[in-house]
Structure formats: structure tokens, C-alpha cells
């Protein structure tokens, strides 16, 4: 059998970077879809309980680049989104249990 990426104390970690695009698509069909450049940073921690079971936690932070003082989804002078910053930040936290088979 192959060996997993485990450490003597049972902990392992990960770090990742990504680039891509964020799609803003409102439910109302009168507005066009907006696509903006984005990136993310991910950090994870894993603890191996047994060779088959592990606990995992990840944190991911997304940053979408917007123009300063921008608007999106405008119709007849009314806009659904107004921003005065340059980066729209979102976060995601995940936890879970792994089983190796």
C-alpha cells in the first residue's frame, strides 16, 4: 500500500493561491451579467486520527477587483450595487472529516 502525506505528530498543512474570475449574475433578467478579475488565498490544516480517518479545516479568502466608485446592474438610473472600494472581499471556512478507502 502507498504511504500518505502524514507527519509524526499527525498534523499537516497546505497553502494555495488562485486566479480567475467572479461572475455577478442577478436573478432579474433585465440586468446583464458582470465578470470581474479575482484571486484567492487558501490555508488548510489537517489532523490524522488514524490511517483512514482525518479532520480537516480550510480558510479561503477571495478578492475581486472592482473600479473605485463603480456601479453594477443599472437600469434607468437605478443601480443594484454601488461600491466605493477597489476590492470586494469574501471569505469561506470549511471543516470536515476525511475517510481514506
Amino acid at each position: 500500500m502507498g504511504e500518505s502525506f502524514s507527519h509524526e505528530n499527525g498534523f499537516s498543512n497546505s497553502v494555495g493561491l488562485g486566479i480567475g474570475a467572479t461572475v455577478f449574475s442577478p436573478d432579474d433578467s433585465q440586468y446583464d451579467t458582470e465578470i470581474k478579475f479575482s484571486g484567492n488565498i487558501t490555508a488548510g490544516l489537517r489532523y490524522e486520527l488514524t490511517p483512514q480517518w482525518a479532520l480537516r479545516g480550510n480558510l479561503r479568502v477571495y478578492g475581486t477587483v472592482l473600479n473605485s466608485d463603480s456601479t453594477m446592474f443599472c437600469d434607468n438610473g437605478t443601480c443594484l450595487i454601488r461600491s466605493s472600494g477597489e476590492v470586494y472581499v469574501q471569505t469561506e471556512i470549511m471543516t470536515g472529516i476525511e475517510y481514506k478507502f
Side-chain angles (χ1 to χ4, degrees):
M1 294 229 149
E3 200 62 39
S4 64
F5 294 106
S6 62
H7 299 278
E8 287 184 24
N9 66 3
F11 283 98
S12 61
N13 55 27
S14 62
V15 176
L17 298 173
I19 58 170
T22 299
V23 178
F24 295 95
S25 180
D27 289 336
D28 194 336
S29 62
Q30 75 183 25
Y31 301 105
D32 292 333
T33 298
E34 299 271 346
I35 299 174
K36 303 290 185 180
F37 173 76
S38 67
N40 67 69
I41 299 171
T42 305
L45 184 62
R46 182 177 181 274
Y47 180 70
E48 188 173 290
L49 299 167
T50 70
Q52 284 79 36
W53 292 94
L55 301 175
R56 175 182 270 312
N58 285 23
L59 170 66
R60 182 170 292 184
V61 179
Y62 298 91
T64 302
V65 178
L66 302 173
N67 295 333
S68 183
D69 297 323
S70 66
T71 58
M72 289 193 294
F73 313 125
C74 297
D75 186 40
N76 294 329
T78 303
C79 298
L80 295 179
I81 296 176
R82 294 184 187 278
S83 70
S84 60
E86 295 190 13
V87 178
Y88 176 64
V89 177
Q90 297 169 278
T91 58
E92 175 180 271
I93 296 174
M94 297 178 286
T95 60
I97 299 171
E98 293 181 3
Y99 176 74
K100 181 180 170 184
F101 51 95

